[in-house]
């Protein structure tokens, strides 16, 4: 009986029952590196800068048109400081296709408006416009840091990071005290805190002078002294407030990682690290994408719908005498993005047979989308089988998953934009608890298996 069950049933197992002590040590080492990356990469720009730093240490050089490309050449191209493409040239011609992994490095956050600074009742605030899908009530009364750039008319770029260092001040959005929240608590979660109400407290001491807006003036003078900027310079700035939490181990057994921006830096780091760890010269050219703007639909010049990807791929195809069309047609892409982890606190939204579980490994989504798979690229059975074989050969622990009950909601990734390019694409990544919250949780086991899964696809002898 048992034998028959083992043979005929799809049995998912807890990943910790499937690895030995030696692999647990490798897993811990990997997660330490990831935690350090996540702590230092609070925005897409910082995630890209740090990735370039790590890639250069590993022998990658910036791609320049005309540069000689041979099997084993490691190169990268940065797209406007916010997205990155890396490649390790393979033995085979690019006309036989590339192995691509694509993740995104943008994450939900609070962007400052272009005229952000104001004073109200002798307190100074920044106005914000949230970026990506957030539950607004989660973003009040949590410590915030300020990151970004101010582009001056002169062309100079001023980098701003306030709140990361222990001696730095931090920021916060206030909430109503329960004593006076009689009306607020009867509102729905989406109405209790409004988008326009997400105003960040940034100062309270008036400038020593007469006149109005003295606190605003005092704040502006601090910014001028530190960064040489005036209020008008905000017009051409990209400043963003992100949660200031340190990335920490979670649980008595330290098996989980809590932090801001796991979605999707956890997959971005997995594929980046896999790219750096490719053994020798890969059989097909391996490509790693760190994309921007996924959280707002992959739009814009740095999003995955941008021609920047074709531009890079066409350059390396042309350089090696391959056709871009043939390359795409024969390529395989892992859209490495996080999925929902089943949460026992909210079982009502999940259909357990088809949901990802913590510690069950890399989550593969054949399709995403919503209401009848709308908006999904829906990977073909053949593509799923291809991945099953690679993972089985390399002892990658993985699970098939989908996003909640039918008609409960839904979501998308960069997958469809890759598939639209005539590239076979499948979604695969790390299951997350509290996705899009200021402090998200993932399991170390799943982080490590996602790295191992992408590395197996890169190292495969095609
Ligand atoms: Mn994502
Ligand atoms: Mn997301």
């Amino acid at each position: 009986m048992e034998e028959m069950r083992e043979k005929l049933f799809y049995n998912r197992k807890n990943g910790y029952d499937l690895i030995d002590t030696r692999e647990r040590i490798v897993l811990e080492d990997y997660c330490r590196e990831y935690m350090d990356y996540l702590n230092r990469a609070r925005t897409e720009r910082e995630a890209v800068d740090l990735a370039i730093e790590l890639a250069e240490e590993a022998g990658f050089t910036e791609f320049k048109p005309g540069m000689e490309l041979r099997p084993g050449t490691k190169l990268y191209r940065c797209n406007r400081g916010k997205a990155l493409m890396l490649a390790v040239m393979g033995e085979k011609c690019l006309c036989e296709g590339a192995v691509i992994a694509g993740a995104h490095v943008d994450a939900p956050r609070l962007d400052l408006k272009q005229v952000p600074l104001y004073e109200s009742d002798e307190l100074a605030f920044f106005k914000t416009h949230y970026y990506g899908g957030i539950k607004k009530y989660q973003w009040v009364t949590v410590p915030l840091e300020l990151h970004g750039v101010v582009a001056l008319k002169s062309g100079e770029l001023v980098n701003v990071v306030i709140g990361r260092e222990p001696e730095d001040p931090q920021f916060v959005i206030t909430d109503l005290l329960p004593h006076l929240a009689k009306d607020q608590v009867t509102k729905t979660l989406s109405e209790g805190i409004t988008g326009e109400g997400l105003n960040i407290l940034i100062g309270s001491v008036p400038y020593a002078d007469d006149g109005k807006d003295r606190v605003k003036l005092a704040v502006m003078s601090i910014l001028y002294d530190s960064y040489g900027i005036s209020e008008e310079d905000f017009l051409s700035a990209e400043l963003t407030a992100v949660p200031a939490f340190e990335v920490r181990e979670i649980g008595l057994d330290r098996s989980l990682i809590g932090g801001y921006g796991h979605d999707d830096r956890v997959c971005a780091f997995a594929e980046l690290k896999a790219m750096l760890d490719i053994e020798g010269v890969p059989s097909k050219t391996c490509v790693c994408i760190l994309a921007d703007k996924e959280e707002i639909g992959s739009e814009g010049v740095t999003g995955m719908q941008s021609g920047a990807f074709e531009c890079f791929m066409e350059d390396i195809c042309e350089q090696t005498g391959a056709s871009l069309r043939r390359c795409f047609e024969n390529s395989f892409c892992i859209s490495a993005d996080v999925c929902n982890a089943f949460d026992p606190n909210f079982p009502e939204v999940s259909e357990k047979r088809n949901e990802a579980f913590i510690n069950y490994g890399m989550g593969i989504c054949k399709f995403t989308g919503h209401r009848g798979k709308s908006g999904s690229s829906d990977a073909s059975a053949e593509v799923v089988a291809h991945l099953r074989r690679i993972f089985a050969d390399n002892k990658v622990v993985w699970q098939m998953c989908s996003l909640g009950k039918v008609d409960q909601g839904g979501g998308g990734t960069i997958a469809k934009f890759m598939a639209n390019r005539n590239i076979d694409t499948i979604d695969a990544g790390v299951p997350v608890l509290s996705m899009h919250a200021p402090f998200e949780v993932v399991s170390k086991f799943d982080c490590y298996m996602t790295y191992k899964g992408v590395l197996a696809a890169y190292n495969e002898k095609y």
Side-chain angles (χ1 to χ4, degrees), residues 206-245:
Y207 198 82
D209 201 354
D210 297 330
K212 67 183 200 50
D213 283 349
R214 294 194 303 146
V215 179
K216 174 179 168 179
L217 184 60
V219 162
M220 208 54 246
S221 80
I222 293 169
L223 287 169
Y224 181 75
D225 290 344
S226 308
Y227 299 100
I229 58 172
S230 66
E231 190 181 7
E232 198 183 316
D233 293 322
F234 284 125
L235 300 178
S236 52
E238 281 178 353
L239 294 170
T240 187
V242 300
F245 304 121

Side-chain angles (χ1 to χ4, degrees), residues 198-427:
L198 294 174
N199 303 314
I200 304 172
L201 180 60
I202 53 160
S204 68
V205 178
Y207 198 82
D209 201 354
D210 297 330
K212 67 183 200 50
D213 283 349
R214 294 194 303 146
V215 179
K216 174 179 168 179
L217 184 60
V219 162
M220 208 54 246
S221 80
I222 293 169
L223 287 169
Y224 181 75
D225 290 344
S226 308
Y227 299 100
I229 58 172
S230 66
E231 190 181 7
E232 198 183 316
D233 293 322
F234 284 125
L235 300 178
S236 52
E238 281 178 353
L239 294 170
T240 187
V242 300
F245 304 121
E246 284 298 305
V247 179
R248 295 294 293 258
E249 292 180 314
I250 298 289
L252 289 171
D253 57 10
R254 301 170 181 267
S255 61
L256 306 156
I257 304 171
Y260 160 68
H262 285 312
D263 177 10
D264 184 33
R265 291 169 199 144
V266 68
C267 296
F269 183 76
E271 52 169 55
L272 174 68
K273 176 79 175 142
M275 174 113 293
L276 307 186
D277 289 352
I278 289 171
E279 289 160 17
V281 179
S283 113
K284 285 190 181 181
T285 293
C286 297
V287 176
C288 168
I289 304 167
L290 307 188
D292 181 30
K293 297 281 181 276
E294 192 278 340
E295 296 295 358
I296 57 169
S298 298
E299 312 282 351
V301 77
T302 51
M304 217 49 239
Q305 298 196 63
S306 153
F309 178 62
E310 274 78 5
C311 183
F312 172 67
M313 291 302 290
E314 190 156 8
D315 275 348
I316 62 173
C317 278
E318 258 177 20
Q319 209 80 24
T320 52
S323 125
L324 179 70
R325 283 183 300 155
R326 284 293 89 70
C327 174
F328 277 2
E329 185 177 60
N330 294 317
S331 288
F332 168 62
C333 175
I334 295 176
S335 161
D337 206 342
V338 299
C339 55
N340 176 51
F342 175 78
D343 187 338
N345 278 326
F346 303 97
E348 63 278 9
V349 301
S350 293
E351 192 272 283
K352 283 173 91 169
R353 284 172 212 85
N354 286 282
E355 201 81 359
F357 284 83
I358 287 289
N359 290 336
Y360 277 62
M362 189 179 193
I364 310 297
C365 285
K366 184 176 180 298
F367 57 88
T368 58
H370 56 277
R371 289 192 307 281
K373 301 190 179 183
S374 181
S376 166
S377 56
D378 201 4
S380 72
E382 291 88 335
V383 171
V384 180
H386 172 66
L387 209 54
R388 277 177 68 194
R389 186 185 56 70
I390 293 176
F391 286 177
D393 290 351
N394 293 280
K395 295 195 165 60
V396 176
V397 180
W398 68 281
Q399 52 187 329
M400 184 56 86
C401 62
S402 58
L403 187 53
K405 278 184 175 163
V406 177
D407 289 343
Q408 183 66 45
T413 65
I414 64 160
K416 64 176 173 183
F417 306 114
M418 301 308 286
N420 289 349
R421 291 174 158 112
N422 197 22
I423 298 172
D424 271 319
T425 303
I426 187 163
D427 276 300

Side-chain angles (χ1 to χ4, degrees), residues 123-138:
L123 294 174
F125 296 91
F126 278 143
K127 295 295 298 178
T128 67
H129 193 143
Y130 64 96
Y131 172 98
I134 63 166
K135 290 159 84 177
K136 292 160 199 119
Y137 72 88
Q138 294 178 333

